[in-house]
C-alpha cells in the first residue's frame, strides 16, 4: 500500500498515519518529523531548514526532494509507505513521480483530509507534544495528568514553535497557495479520494479497508 495524505496543517495527517500503521506494517514518512529531528540534533539539514519552519514557510524543494529520495530507498519502504506532509508543491509531486517511475512502483491513492480553517486553528493552538517521546496532547481534549509533564515518559510537554496562531495562519496561507494545486493534480491522475477530517482518527484506515475488500 502506497498512499499520500494531503491536508492543511492540523487536518490530522499524523494521527491517521498512526492508525494505519497499527494495522499495516508500512513506513510512515513524515517530512515534518524528519525535519524537526534534524533541527533537534543540529544537523546540517536542520540548520538549513529551521528558519523556514519557524516562520511557517516551506523548506526549499531541492532539500526536501533529496531527503525523500534517500528515505524511499530504505528497506522499511518495501512493503509500502504513507507519505505525510510530502509532496507539498507541484515540483515536489513531479519529482516524486520520477522517483516512483525509477523504482518501478505506483501510488495507490492520494487521500485529501477536508476540514475548515476555524477548526484547525482551534486544534493547533491547543496542541502540545512531548519533547522526549513525541506523544501528542491537547489542552482541551487530551490534557496531561500533570501540566507540562508527559503521562507516558515524564518528558517535558511543550507547544511547537510553529503552533502559535500567527504562524498557523501563515502555514494555512502557504497551503492554499502552494499545496492546494496538488488536489487537482492528483484528481486528474484519478488518484484523489476526499474524506471528512472530522470523521475520527480511523477514517482513512476504514476507507482503505473498504477499497481493499472492493478490489478482492
Ligand atoms: P503541518 O502539516 O502541521 O504544517 P509538518 O510537521 O508537516 O506540519 O511540517 C512542519 C514544517 O516543516 C512546515 O511548515 C515546513 O516548514 C516544513 N516542511 C514539512 N514538509 C515539507 C515539504 N514537503 N516541503 C517543504 N517544507 C516542508
Ligand atoms: Zn513522553
Amino acid at each position: 500500500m502506497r498512499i499520500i495524505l494531503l491536508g492543511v496543517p492540523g487536518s490530522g495527517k499524523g494521527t491517521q498515519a498512526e492508525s494505519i500503521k497499527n494495522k499495516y506494517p508500512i513506513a510512515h514518512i513524515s517530512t515534518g518529523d524528519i525535519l524537526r529531528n534534524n533541527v533537534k540534533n543540529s544537523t546540517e539539514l536542520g540548520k538549513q531548514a529551521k528558519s523556514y519552519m519557524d516562520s511557517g514557510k516551506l523548506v526549499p524543494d531541492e532539500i526536501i526532494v533529496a531527503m525523500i529520495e534517500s528515505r524511499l530507498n530504505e528497506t522499511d519502504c518495501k512493503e509500502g509507505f504513507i507519505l505525510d506532509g510530502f509532496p507539498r508543491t507541484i515540483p515536489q509531486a513531479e519529482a516524486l513521480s520520477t522517483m516512483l517511475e525509477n523504482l518501478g512502483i505506483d501510488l495507490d491513492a492520494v487521500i485529501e483530509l477536508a476540514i475548515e480553517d476555524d477548526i484547525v486553528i482551534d486544534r493547533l493552538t491547543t496542541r502540545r507534544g512531548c519533547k522526549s517521546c513525541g506523544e501528542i496532547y491537547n489542552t482541551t481534549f487530551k490534557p496531561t495528568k500533570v501540566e507540562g509533564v508527559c503521562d507516558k515518559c515524564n518528558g517535558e510537554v511543550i507547544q511547537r514553535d510553529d503552533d502559535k496562531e500567527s504562524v498557523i495562519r501563515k502555514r494555512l496561507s502557504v497551503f492554499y497557495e502552494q499545496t492546494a494545486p496538488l488536489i487537482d493534480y492528483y484528481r486528474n491522475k484519478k488518484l484523489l479520494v476526499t474524506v471528512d477530517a472530522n470523521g475520527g482518527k480511523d477514517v482513512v484506515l476504514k476507507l482503505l479497508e473498504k477499497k481493499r475488500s472492493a478490489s478482492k
Side-chain angles (χ1 to χ4, degrees), residues 3-18:
I3 60 171
I4 293 176
L5 297 178
L6 194 62
V8 292
S11 54
K13 301 182 292 289
T15 307
Q16 299 296 337
E18 283 306 314

Side-chain angles (χ1 to χ4, degrees), residues 42-205:
S42 306
T43 65
E44 202 41 52
L45 171 64
K47 283 178 199 153
Q48 289 173 346
K50 187 174 185 330
S51 63
Y52 296 102
M53 296 173 75
D54 286 346
S55 60
K57 291 186 191 140
L58 294 184
V59 174
D61 289 337
E62 314 80 73
I63 298 182
I64 298 288
V65 167
M67 190 175 102
I68 285 287
E69 194 153 25
S70 72
R71 184 66 187 86
L72 285 179
N73 279 303
E74 285 176 37
T75 47
D76 64 333
C77 295
K78 292 272 184 299
E79 299 296 318
F81 50 77
I82 308 164
L83 289 171
D84 159 5
F86 176 91
R88 252 171 155 100
T89 63
I90 294 281
Q92 288 182 18
E94 286 170 345
L96 174 66
S97 160
T98 310
M99 277 180 235
L100 296 179
E101 233 167 77
N102 291 337
L103 291 167
I105 53 184
D106 287 319
L107 288 170
D108 295 307
V110 176
I111 296 155
E112 181 203 0
L113 291 161
I115 190 166
E116 280 149 44
D117 285 4
D118 291 354
I119 301 178
V120 158
I121 292 169
D122 274 354
R123 273 193 190 181
L124 292 184
T125 49
T126 52
R127 175 164 79 176
R128 300 291 183 272
C130 174
K131 245 174 133 171
S132 311
C133 74
E135 183 71 9
I136 302 293
Y137 295 94
N138 182 290
T139 54
T140 319
F141 308 110
K142 190 189 169 192
T144 51
K145 292 202 182 89
V146 179
E147 203 187 318
V149 181
C150 179
D151 293 354
K152 283 199 163 164
C153 78
N154 284 325
E156 191 188 350
V157 172
I158 54 160
Q159 182 173 43
R160 251 166 66 174
D161 285 338
D162 61 353
D163 277 347
K164 311 264 151 60
E165 185 162 343
S166 60
V167 185
I168 294 169
R169 291 194 187 275
K170 174 69 187 169
R171 282 155 64 205
L172 284 171
S173 74
V174 165
F175 178 90
Y176 292 117
E177 277 165 31
Q178 304 193 56
T179 309
L182 294 180
I183 296 172
D184 276 337
Y185 176 90
Y186 284 118
R187 187 180 288 126
N188 289 335
K189 291 187 182 266
K190 309 262 181 287
L191 284 169
L192 192 80
V193 188
T194 304
V195 298
D196 178 0
N198 284 311
K201 65 176 180 25
D202 296 328
V203 272
V204 177
L205 176 65

